[in-house]
Amino acid sequence: MMVVIPTIKQFKEHIGIAKQAGISIGFVPTMGALHEGHLALMRRAKDENDLLAVSIFVNPIQFNNQEDLKKYPRTLEQDSIMLESVGCDLLFVPDTLEMYPEPVTDQYEFGKLSEVMEGASRPGHFNGVAIVVRKLFEIVEPDKAYFGEKDFQQLAIIQQLVKMIPLPVEIVPCPIIREMDGLAMSSRNLRLSENERFIAPLIYQTLIKAVKLNTLLSPEELKKWITDKFKSHPEFKIDYIEIAEDQLLQPVAHWNDANSVYIFVAIFLGNVRLIDNMRIF
Ligand code: PAF
């Protein structure tokens, strides 16, 4: 039976009892509107720990666009059914006042990692993510916390955060889960119109083809090839396309500049912003 808890005090009481009993805690923080991608993280967390804790909190301070915050899907009833199905033990559902009784002013410094891609396009976003994730970790005290690689840069930021503080939690990266047609699962997919949803898999198809071209083109040429592909479809508006290494996510000029290189994209379809990435090598 899942226990649903809205307050920090009560949640900490449950965690205290679990800790005293030597129970290991796997944690999946979310903003709700759950899909198979979240459930994959939860199944793994349940599998690797004694207790599965999940949070649902739409964190206002990580939204740099108020319209995006307002439109973020909220589907708690359906989420609860999905959570029961994966055996969630503790669900934390605080409201904004519970999490932020006073305005928050903390500023985190992530250097170069936060200056590119999502960091450049969404000012303040990662600071908001770091504040909430730290707070959640301090409440939940997980042994392991699970994050999807779709938000690759967020994962890198959180890995840096737990080293910096430091916090005694193991961060477990989990592969992207895709729809049958290749579209990376995201809560924002719910906001796509029928036509936008129909053409959205082009993002995945383009990445698949681009990965195969790396032996023929330089990183700059490959970036241009991807750009041209999206530009030939007026429905897509490019936010960024980057070919970057996997540590500080800095763009590479030559293939042998790094051991591992990814393509990262952020694309608008109508007013829905979708991100995706794929490893080249
Ligand atoms: O990836 C998300 O859903 C959010 O950024 C997170 C990690 C739950 C923090 O609000």
Side-chain angles (χ1 to χ4, degrees), residues 64-277:
N64 57 312
N65 176 337
Q66 287 311 300
E67 198 56 17
D68 194 23
L69 170 61
K70 223 166 66 195
K71 293 208 174 124
Y72 203 84
R74 289 155 172 92
T75 56
L76 187 57
E77 214 167 299
Q78 203 189 320
D79 290 351
S80 303
I81 298 169
M82 292 166 107
L83 288 165
E84 295 270 13
S85 80
V86 292
C88 174
D89 300 292
L90 289 182
L91 173 62
F92 184 44
V93 282
D95 64 15
T96 305
L97 204 63
E98 181 71 11
M99 287 297 276
Y100 305 125
E102 279 152 31
V104 269
T105 52
D106 303 9
Q107 284 296 330
Y108 289 95
E109 184 45 68
F110 295 106
K112 284 169 98 173
L113 179 57
S114 61
E115 287 163 14
V116 291
M117 303 194 293
E118 296 299 292
S121 279
R122 305 176 67 188
H125 169 64
F126 285 132
N127 201 56
V129 169
I131 289 170
V132 80
V133 169
R134 178 179 186 177
K135 187 149 183 152
L136 289 168
F137 282 173
E138 284 169 351
I139 297 165
V140 180
E141 295 183 61
D143 295 275
K144 294 182 181 182
Y146 297 76
F147 292 87
E149 285 179 339
K150 182 174 78 69
D151 295 294
F152 199 94
Q153 195 172 6
Q154 166 172 281
L155 178 60
I157 289 278
I158 291 166
Q159 275 163 332
Q160 196 165 311
L161 176 76
V162 300
K163 265 195 220 142
M164 216 159 75
I165 302 291
L167 294 168
V169 50
E170 181 187 334
I171 303 301
V172 183
C174 301
I176 297 177
I177 304 292
R178 297 181 180 278
E179 301 284 358
M180 293 284 275
D181 58 14
L183 178 65
M185 289 203 184
S186 164
S187 306
R188 288 190 172 84
N189 295 352
L190 289 175
R191 287 176 42 207
L192 295 170
S193 70
E194 205 175 317
N195 184 48
E196 286 162 356
R197 176 65 191 81
F198 181 70
I199 56 174
L202 200 99
I203 299 173
Y204 170 73
Q205 289 155 10
T206 304
L207 292 182
I208 286 276
K209 285 185 192 147
V211 163
K212 293 190 182 134
L213 286 172
N214 85 80
T215 48
L216 303 173
L217 304 177
S218 69
E220 196 189 324
E221 286 164 345
L222 188 57
K223 185 169 161 174
K224 177 156 186 327
W225 183 89
I226 301 168
T227 306
D228 291 346
K229 272 272 168 266
F230 286 118
K231 283 199 171 154
S232 67
H233 295 269
E235 297 92 341
F236 292 98
K237 202 172 135 268
I238 298 167
D239 186 1
Y240 61 74
I241 293 168
E242 292 297 348
I243 317 267
E245 45 80 23
D246 69 335
Q247 296 299 306
L248 294 178
L249 313 191
Q250 302 303 299
V252 293
H254 311 281
W255 293 120
N256 56 7
D257 281 355
N259 290 330
S260 184
V261 175
Y262 281 68
I263 306 171
F264 296 95
V265 299
I267 310 274
F268 280 99
L269 247 180
N271 55 13
V272 184
R273 186 172 178 279
L274 300 175
I275 60 171
D276 203 343
N277 66 75

